[in-house]
Amino acid sequence: MNKDTIIGFVLIAVVLIGFSWYNQPSVEEIEAARTQDSIESVLKEKAAQEQKIAQAKKQAAVDSAAVNDTTALFHQALNGTSQKVVLKNSKLELTLDTKGGVVRKAVIKNFKSIDGKQDVTLFDEKDQNLNFMMAGKQDNIVTADLFFTPSEQTDSTVTMTAVAGNGGEISLKYRLGQDYLLSMSLQAKGLANIFAPSYKEMEIEWNDHCRQQEKGFSFESRYTSLYYKETKSGSTDKLSESDDKKENIEEELDWVAFRNQFFSVALISKDNFAANSSLSTIQDEKGSGYLKFFNAKLKTAFDPTGVKASEFEMYIGPNNFRLIKAVEEQSQFGKELDLEQLVDLGWWLLRWINRWFTLYVFDWLTGFGLNMGIVLILITLLLKAITFPMVKKSYMSSAKMRVLKPKFEEATKQYDKPEDQMKKQQEMMSLYSKYGVSPLSGCLPMIIQMPIWLAMFFFVPNAIQLRGESFLWMSDLSTYDPIVEWSSNIWGIGDHLSLTCILFCAAQIIYTWFSMQQQRDQMVGAQAEQMKMMQWMMYIMPLMFFFIFNDYSSGLNFYYFISLFMSAAIMWTLRKTTDDAKLLAILEANYQANKNNPKKQSGLAARLEALQKQADEMQRQRKK
């Protein structure tokens, strides 16, 4: 390749680069294009999700009609006028429709709605549908197709009847209890001949487009799911809250429930729902006004002769643990329903803490009529008082390590070579034992408090008593408290900054500083170097917590803020009130008593020293 060729290639490259640079879009154009791409991506994703829910609704309608449309047997009941029938008590108002004969609207009284109204509309005719389907030899019955005639109507009872051409009928009876329990039954009369002798089950199609009831879409969606209870095992489970999910449940079920953060609708069958129930959930998009679309395809016992009715109960109400337990006692089915599992109190150990401690303390404090913010502060003070003896004992163990640090460093300074680390550890263990201290005490305060921290993580977001309750700057303790909001969604942050989350993270930094200082003051040699890396990791945690908790409830963040602030204050107070000289004198007395009397050496340090000697001896044997 000659000189002219090289120059030619260089000139071509310069021209191409210059042309590309000249024609590149401006910063404003790039940002505009990026914004447009982002908007288009969001719109496409939203459209796809809306289409998925629309298809699910359409499929549900198709499945409802899969038994074939109701035929001429009920030709008179196929035509009519839709009428509304209202059942109500002081806590619940249900609207039934004569078209289909089922509940179409549920209003839970005395709970403010997201738009400021006095009552919460849990669902209406657009959102929920319940359909019973019975397949005959030639004629099929689909209750959604039928117009029923109401009778025996009071404020709490009604009978819906659809009459067949042969004089037979399908009747749906309803009775609303004093609280949130609706009893219902379906019975066929004079229709035995249209069913096969072996026909013993009817199908149920139940759908619910779950409304958004709270301000924080993401937070509420996290606590919204389809729950069910297996009859044989007695266990309660749920579908994933974070993904679209469809499952076939192999066991029989006592009940199925559509549950959002603070309210639920549960359908209970006296004769159980048959095995292989199909349950599904589809996520909805933020801004749609809905959280998820639920679908349940069930089967249960049906007596074609009409001797026995198919009986059901529906719980339509708030997710309040004590309330659900009380309402469950009104059930006439004699089952251990465990509907209180709709209040998620955490995994087994955490649930045990919340069930037998936190709930009782919470009920006791709320019984005084205190503001819920004050209740959270008092719970924190009580928990700190209970754990204080253990925290103080742990702190004193760390303080002993701190005042002995110079002596440990002096006693082990001759073991600085890498090959002497085993001897250095052995010497340290011996000193621990003689002074009567434990090297593992520094992390105990956090270990002691961790189960309570995790228990409150589940308890507070599920405490309906915090819903709509204000305290200080927090207008609603059950949702986030924004100091700044914006229209677009920022990844990892969302569309707001929560003040209590910022305070929580700041308190975490302060507490971490105290903890790291305490740990660093007692570390010797290589341990101190390792602690520097751990320190940076610990300081990253508050940043991680910010991204996790920014859309969590202000009540939970406020509890964590108060708890960490008090923990830091306790550590600071203990540090200021500890007399290091007096403590060192006590430890020196222990040393003098133990150094010539190995039998007095006990505790964890002595066991660690024995293990270290055993390991050292095994290593010598291997070398031989």
Side-chain angles (χ1 to χ4, degrees), residues 104-106 121-128 211 290:
R104 296 292 190 188
K105 184 178 181 180
T121 299
L122 194 57
F123 60 84
D124 62 17
E125 60 273 7
K126 303 189 305 294
D127 308 327
Q128 187 167 137
R211 288 187 176 192
Y290 294 92

Side-chain angles (χ1 to χ4, degrees), residues 223-284:
Y223 291 92
T224 299
S225 185
L226 191 157
Y227 279 64
Y228 57 91
K229 180 177 181 289
E230 296 176 340
T231 304
K232 185 177 180 180
S233 66
S235 62
T236 302
D237 209 343
K238 59 183 176 180
L239 301 188
S240 172
E241 298 98 333
S242 58
D243 301 304
D244 295 349
K245 192 73 173 179
K246 182 175 182 179
E247 287 189 15
N248 288 325
I249 311 302
E250 295 181 357
E251 285 197 35
E252 291 187 357
L253 302 178
D254 282 333
W255 51 261
V256 174
F258 302 149
R259 181 234 197 230
N260 70 0
Q261 186 178 4
F262 291 124
F263 304 98
S264 291
V265 183
L267 180 62
I268 308 158
S269 174
K270 182 177 182 179
D271 297 310
N272 308 333
F273 294 116
N276 296 314
S277 296
S278 176
L279 309 176
S280 65
T281 177
I282 299 175
Q283 310 289 313
D284 218 318

Side-chain angles (χ1 to χ4, degrees), residues 29-87:
E29 291 172 331
I30 293 173
E31 185 61 31
R34 185 179 297 151
T35 302
Q36 183 63 31
D37 289 343
S38 177
I39 292 172
E40 289 178 358
S41 176
V42 171
L43 290 175
K44 286 180 180 178
E45 185 176 347
K46 184 175 182 179
Q49 200 69 12
E50 289 176 349
Q51 185 179 7
K52 185 184 291 186
I53 292 176
Q55 288 175 345
K57 288 183 175 181
K58 184 177 179 180
Q59 184 62 44
V62 171
D63 291 340
S64 295
V67 200
N68 295 324
D69 293 335
T70 304
T71 57
L73 179 64
F74 279 88
H75 64 280
Q76 293 180 340
L78 291 174
N79 298 288
T81 302
S82 173
Q83 301 177 37
K84 307 301 181 186
V85 176
V86 176
L87 304 180

Side-chain angles (χ1 to χ4, degrees), residues 287-299:
S288 65
Y290 294 92
L291 300 168
K292 294 169 186 177
F293 178 75
F294 296 128
N295 176 259
K297 297 174 183 176
L298 312 165
K299 289 184 179 181

